[in-house]
Amino acid sequence: MARNSQQLTQIQSEIEQSGGKALSVTVDGTDPASVKAAFEQVSSQLGAPEVFVYNAGAFQKAGILELTPEQFEFSWKVNCFGAFLAVQQVLPAMVERGRGTILLTGATAAVKGSAKFAALAVGKFGLRALAQSLAREFSPQGIHVAHIIIDGMINTQRVRAMVSEAEEHTLLAPEAFAQHLRSRSVPAGLRRFAQTYWQLYQQDPTAWTLELDLRPAVEKF
């Protein structure tokens, strides 16, 4: 699922070429009706999800007096509200089965509100709180909820264009997330967090992780 249908088409093609099955669904994660319709489409064609990963994010760097109400609200909706809408769609079937995994991607801003990062921090703080509340409510029912803090920028072409002066060792290496999943059966666009997220999915219920931090060794925290 994503707002960009072009990106989805490419990823779906890579999955299908490797022998997998995929469904592309465009959705506005901030709109309850759009989210509901998207998951109805998934359930009708692929069945109820057993794993849900929320990777959406919105970033607006600006001071409190510079942010417009619309910018602040949009950032909160993408970073937090959309996850709330989505988990409401996947939880009923997970509870009925007595198992399921929900993985929510956070950021440094989930634990630290910095100057000019209020729009991001409020949403990411909220996402972290949502993960904690979900885990305490649904872990006893067999649902594993984890919040992953990505403390740093991932070394992708887009990021390098944004921070061209950054040295390579200060960025998160995509291959570090997926060293054992580098076969061509895993689409390149999905490799970034594959290893870490896969390990969280495989964890035994006797030793579930609620929160995990990932950062370069040189990152200050």
Side-chain angles (χ1 to χ4, degrees):
M1 294 184 184
R3 290 171 293 174
N4 186 335
S5 60
Q6 278 189 326
Q7 180 185 12
L8 289 175
T9 301
Q10 179 183 348
I11 294 173
Q12 180 175 352
S13 176
E14 290 175 349
I15 292 172
E16 291 174 343
Q17 286 174 12
S18 68
K21 183 178 181 181
L23 173 67
S24 294
V25 181
T26 54
V27 61
D28 178 356
T30 68
D31 178 62
S34 178
V35 173
K36 185 174 186 295
F39 278 97
E40 286 175 348
Q41 186 178 347
V42 170
S43 295
S44 66
Q45 297 193 42
L46 297 178
E50 294 189 19
V51 182
F52 172 65
V53 178
Y54 191 77
N55 232 4
F59 175 62
Q60 180 69 46
K61 184 178 179 181
I64 295 293
L65 298 178
E66 301 164 349
L67 283 168
T68 66
E70 293 77 17
Q71 288 173 328
F72 186 87
E73 181 182 41
F74 177 75
S75 186
W76 167 73
K77 280 188 170 183
V78 172
N79 289 307
C80 181
F81 183 57
F84 166 76
L85 296 176
V87 296
Q88 281 195 326
Q89 297 300 314
V90 301
L91 275 169
M94 289 182 177
V95 170
E96 185 177 349
R97 284 193 304 262
R99 69 179 189 278
T101 304
I102 294 173
L103 305 175
L104 307 178
T105 301
T108 312
V111 294
K112 181 174 66 177
S114 300
K116 298 192 175 183
F117 283 82
L120 176 64
V122 168
K124 291 301 184 182
F125 262 75
L127 184 70
R128 187 179 184 218
L130 178 64
Q132 293 179 6
S133 295
L134 282 168
R136 290 186 170 96
E137 182 176 354
F138 291 99
S139 288
Q141 301 179 61
I143 315 302
H144 182 195
V145 180
H147 175 250
I148 302 92
I149 295 175
I150 309 299
D151 188 11
M153 292 182 289
I154 300 172
N155 192 357
T156 63
Q157 194 171 14
R158 175 173 171 269
V159 167
R160 287 195 299 272
M162 292 169 55
V163 288
S164 57
E165 73 284 357
E167 296 183 51
E168 192 161 325
H169 72 282
T170 67
L171 302 174
L172 289 154
E175 59 270 18
F177 291 93
Q179 284 183 335
H180 77 289
L181 291 176
R182 297 193 65 182
S183 69
R184 66 182 188 87
S185 63
V186 181
L190 301 179
R191 289 178 185 164
R192 296 176 187 175
F193 311 109
Q195 183 180 27
T196 299
Y197 281 50
W198 181 255
Q199 289 173 344
L200 288 170
Y201 167 67
Q202 288 188 312
Q203 283 183 336
D204 188 90
T206 61
W208 272 350
T209 294
L210 169 60
E211 189 159 76
L212 182 68
D213 291 41
L214 299 171
R215 64 175 58 85
V218 298
E219 183 76 17
K220 294 179 180 180
F221 65 100

